[in-house]
Amino acid sequence: MTRRVWSPRPLAFTGADPPALLEREVDAIVQALRREGPLSTRALRERVEGRLWGPGRFGAALRRALAAGRVRRAGRRIWSAVG
């Protein structure tokens, strides 16, 4: 007896995200920190709903914000907006 297995088609993935999308995520992080003040990484991820962005996207956006000088460390795993 032959057994068939069904699986959905895989989604297309280009491997690179549009730069505008990353900038929107960086903006969301900066705005949350300006609105609420310094936040832990966990609290910040919750405020911007970063877990819904996809694997690794929140961390990439936070690193970009840090590199651009829009966010700074305010303590161990605590972040605040610059300016």
mmCIF file of all heavy atoms in Angstrom, residues 1-7:
data_model
loop_
_atom_site.group_PDB
_atom_site.id
_atom_site.type_symbol
_atom_site.label_atom_id
_atom_site.label_comp_id
_atom_site.label_asym_id
_atom_site.label_seq_id
_atom_site.Cartn_x
_atom_site.Cartn_y
_atom_site.Cartn_z
ATOM 1 N N MET A 1 0.829 -1.163 0.000
ATOM 2 C CA MET A 1 0.000 0.000 0.000
ATOM 3 C C MET A 1 0.894 1.255 0.000
ATOM 4 O O MET A 1 1.778 1.403 0.820
ATOM 5 C CB MET A 1 -0.901 -0.008 1.236
ATOM 6 C CG MET A 1 -1.804 1.155 1.328
ATOM 7 S SD MET A 1 -2.922 0.872 2.720
ATOM 8 C CE MET A 1 -3.742 2.390 2.675
ATOM 9 N N THR A 2 0.638 2.186 -0.903
ATOM 10 C CA THR A 2 1.395 3.414 -1.015
ATOM 11 C C THR A 2 0.760 4.483 -0.136
ATOM 12 O O THR A 2 -0.445 4.668 -0.154
ATOM 13 C CB THR A 2 1.413 3.912 -2.466
ATOM 14 O OG1 THR A 2 1.963 2.888 -3.283
ATOM 15 C CG2 THR A 2 2.247 5.153 -2.602
ATOM 16 N N ARG A 3 1.578 5.164 0.576
ATOM 17 C CA ARG A 3 1.091 6.216 1.454
ATOM 18 C C ARG A 3 1.493 7.568 0.877
ATOM 19 O O ARG A 3 2.640 7.799 0.543
ATOM 20 C CB ARG A 3 1.701 6.035 2.830
ATOM 21 C CG ARG A 3 1.164 6.973 3.836
ATOM 22 C CD ARG A 3 1.696 6.614 5.190
ATOM 23 N NE ARG A 3 1.037 7.470 6.159
ATOM 24 C CZ ARG A 3 1.423 7.608 7.383
ATOM 25 N NH1 ARG A 3 2.449 6.924 7.811
ATOM 26 N NH2 ARG A 3 0.791 8.390 8.203
ATOM 27 N N ARG A 4 0.556 8.471 0.784
ATOM 28 C CA ARG A 4 0.830 9.812 0.278
ATOM 29 C C ARG A 4 0.900 10.804 1.419
ATOM 30 O O ARG A 4 0.125 10.723 2.363
ATOM 31 C CB ARG A 4 -0.251 10.245 -0.698
ATOM 32 C CG ARG A 4 -0.240 9.429 -1.952
ATOM 33 C CD ARG A 4 -1.223 9.974 -2.913
ATOM 34 N NE ARG A 4 -1.132 9.191 -4.134
ATOM 35 C CZ ARG A 4 -1.756 9.483 -5.231
ATOM 36 N NH1 ARG A 4 -2.557 10.522 -5.278
ATOM 37 N NH2 ARG A 4 -1.615 8.748 -6.289
ATOM 38 N N VAL A 5 1.793 11.725 1.270
ATOM 39 C CA VAL A 5 1.960 12.770 2.262
ATOM 40 C C VAL A 5 1.797 14.109 1.550
ATOM 41 O O VAL A 5 2.391 14.338 0.504
ATOM 42 C CB VAL A 5 3.355 12.697 2.919
ATOM 43 C CG1 VAL A 5 3.558 13.843 3.881
ATOM 44 C CG2 VAL A 5 3.537 11.360 3.600
ATOM 45 N N TRP A 6 0.986 14.977 2.142
ATOM 46 C CA TRP A 6 0.777 16.303 1.560
ATOM 47 C C TRP A 6 1.526 17.328 2.375
ATOM 48 O O TRP A 6 1.624 17.244 3.593
ATOM 49 C CB TRP A 6 -0.713 16.637 1.561
ATOM 50 C CG TRP A 6 -0.985 18.000 1.014
ATOM 51 C CD1 TRP A 6 -1.149 18.330 -0.297
ATOM 52 C CD2 TRP A 6 -1.088 19.217 1.749
ATOM 53 N NE1 TRP A 6 -1.357 19.665 -0.428
ATOM 54 C CE2 TRP A 6 -1.330 20.261 0.817
ATOM 55 C CE3 TRP A 6 -1.002 19.560 3.080
ATOM 56 C CZ2 TRP A 6 -1.483 21.581 1.177
ATOM 57 C CZ3 TRP A 6 -1.157 20.882 3.445
ATOM 58 C CH2 TRP A 6 -1.396 21.871 2.502
ATOM 59 N N SER A 7 2.072 18.280 1.702
ATOM 60 C CA SER A 7 2.705 19.390 2.394
ATOM 61 C C SER A 7 2.510 20.644 1.550
ATOM 62 O O SER A 7 2.490 20.580 0.335
ATOM 63 C CB SER A 7 4.171 19.062 2.631
ATOM 64 O OG SER A 7 5.041 19.923 2.023
#
